[in-house]
Amino acid sequence: MVSKALLVALAIDQFSYAAEGRFRLRHMQLRPLLGLAYIRSAIESCGLRSELLDQSVTGFSLKDLIRIIREEKYLFVGFYSQLLIKDKLSEYIKAIKIASPQTRIIVGGPGHLFCEEFLKSGCDIVCRGEGEFTVIESIGYLRGEKKIEDIDGIVYLKDGKFIYNKERMLADDLDSLPFPLWDASLRSYYDSYILPLKTPFAPMVTSRGCMFKCAFCSSPYLWKNIYRRRSVENVIREIDSLVFNMGVRYIVFQDDVFGFFHRYRYERTLH
């Protein structure tokens, strides 16, 4: 039985730190992707090992990626999507499907708004919104344990038509989610814009969502303008884990909004 999955983060070429391996310039900032670390935890809760390739760190080419996929056996390859890489991601999907038609490809992240473009390129499933439970159920489908029609929060192609399954409800209790999964690669990241920063450092969130709808932000499309907070105890346990298990020396909080009084959530979302 296939026992691992591959997650891939493509570099934004015009701003990249190691675009396709052609440049090795030391830029001011290279932050790890917190969303993928959460997805890795969800994947490993299913008994799968997860591997992460971040093109901004390793500078792999499309040819390199295809070679890796051919040499290894992955249950699926998952891509993180965003606006600035949507065209590049579509080209990668097309090339992988030509070179390895049997490879199953799942796309998630804020770029899910371009799901039809990714599906036409050869992607098998696009996850919309919060991804932890969606990827767990998608793994069940790929293992033959679940019907694709029963997975909330995904889009896929069937008989040439785009099928939008019903939206997935957001997790009520953020404390129930496993902590993000980090490994030794965390030491590859830095952020020189933060003058007192010491490495290794890690990002965290104490909440998800935002009550506002700024034109430049994808948060409303991921979190539906619903603001949820983790408990203080849960946040402190993650901080302890980062410090004592990973040797983290600096933590960056990446909440869409930070420090709102907890009652604000109910005033904005329930009325």
Side-chain angles (χ1 to χ4, degrees):
M1 179 181 292
V2 179
S3 61
K4 57 184 175 180
L6 176 65
L7 297 181
V8 181
L10 298 180
I12 303 169
D13 282 346
Q14 60 267 44
F15 305 112
S16 76
Y17 311 94
E20 300 283 354
R22 292 191 294 269
F23 305 105
R24 296 291 178 181
L25 303 178
R26 292 185 61 83
H27 285 240
M28 292 291 288
Q29 182 188 78
L30 180 55
R31 286 195 179 190
L33 292 168
L34 181 59
L36 285 182
Y38 270 107
I39 295 300
R40 290 188 71 187
S41 288
I43 290 171
E44 301 221 351
S45 73
C46 299
L48 283 179
R49 289 188 293 114
S50 63
E51 297 176 3
L52 173 64
L53 286 178
D54 187 341
Q55 195 174 48
S56 296
V57 174
T58 60
F60 61 83
S61 67
L62 174 56
K63 183 178 178 180
D64 295 330
L65 181 57
I66 290 174
R67 175 182 52 77
I68 291 169
I69 292 171
R70 280 176 161 175
E71 290 176 353
E72 302 286 343
K73 290 185 178 180
Y74 296 107
L75 182 65
F76 71 92
V77 176
F79 282 96
Y80 176 79
S81 66
Q82 54 181 313
L83 171 62
L84 292 176
I85 64 165
K86 71 178 186 68
D87 294 333
K88 178 179 181 178
L89 177 51
S90 293
E91 292 304 314
Y92 269 57
I93 294 171
K94 290 176 185 176
I96 291 170
K97 280 295 189 177
I98 291 172
S100 181
Q102 75 280 5
T103 298
R104 311 303 291 272
I105 297 177
I106 299 178
V107 172
H112 72 82
L113 297 174
F114 307 101
C115 58
E116 295 187 3
E117 182 176 334
F118 299 142
L119 290 167
K120 285 189 291 186
S121 298
C123 173
D124 295 283
I125 294 174
V126 176
C127 300
R128 297 182 291 154
E130 202 162 53
E132 287 88 351
F133 295 111
T134 305
V135 77
I136 287 173
E137 293 187 10
S138 297
I139 289 170
Y141 161 69
L142 295 176
R143 286 172 166 171
E145 302 166 353
K146 192 176 185 68
K147 294 181 179 179
I148 194 170
E149 295 85 0
D150 297 332
I151 304 173
D152 293 346
I154 67 168
V155 188
Y156 58 97
L157 267 174
K158 183 177 182 180
D159 299 327
K161 296 181 179 180
F162 298 106
I163 307 298
Y164 286 76
N165 286 3
K166 72 176 183 179
E167 291 191 14
R168 177 172 297 279
M169 298 294 292
L170 297 176
D172 289 329
D173 181 14
L174 294 183
D175 288 3
S176 67
L177 300 177
F179 294 155
L181 176 63
W182 303 110
D183 55 29
S185 65
L186 192 62
R187 295 182 177 273
S188 301
Y189 298 92
Y190 51 87
D191 192 338
S192 300
Y193 288 110
I194 302 175
L195 295 180
L197 182 138
K198 298 178 180 179
T199 57
F201 84 104
M204 275 184 61
V205 290
T206 66
S207 64
R208 288 185 178 183
C210 176
M211 296 70 64
F212 308 107
K213 291 186 177 181
C214 300
F216 57 81
C217 184
S218 62
S219 177
Y221 301 103
L222 286 171
W223 314 125
K224 306 177 185 178
N225 283 125
I226 297 176
Y227 177 69
R228 297 160 294 155
R229 288 178 51 167
R230 298 167 58 188
S231 68
V232 172
E233 294 79 11
N234 185 256
V235 171
I236 290 175
R237 282 199 299 273
E238 184 178 352
I239 292 173
D240 286 345
S241 176
L242 288 171
V243 172
F244 296 114
N245 298 332
M246 298 302 301
V248 166
R249 304 179 68 198
Y250 200 99
I251 293 172
V252 177
F253 291 98
Q254 295 186 171
D255 299 48
D256 291 332
V257 289
F258 186 81
F260 273 88
F261 181 50
H262 72 278
R263 216 167 62 186
Y264 194 80
R265 165 189 175 179
Y266 301 100
E267 292 170 355
R268 293 301 297 250
T269 62
L270 300 184
H271 297 285

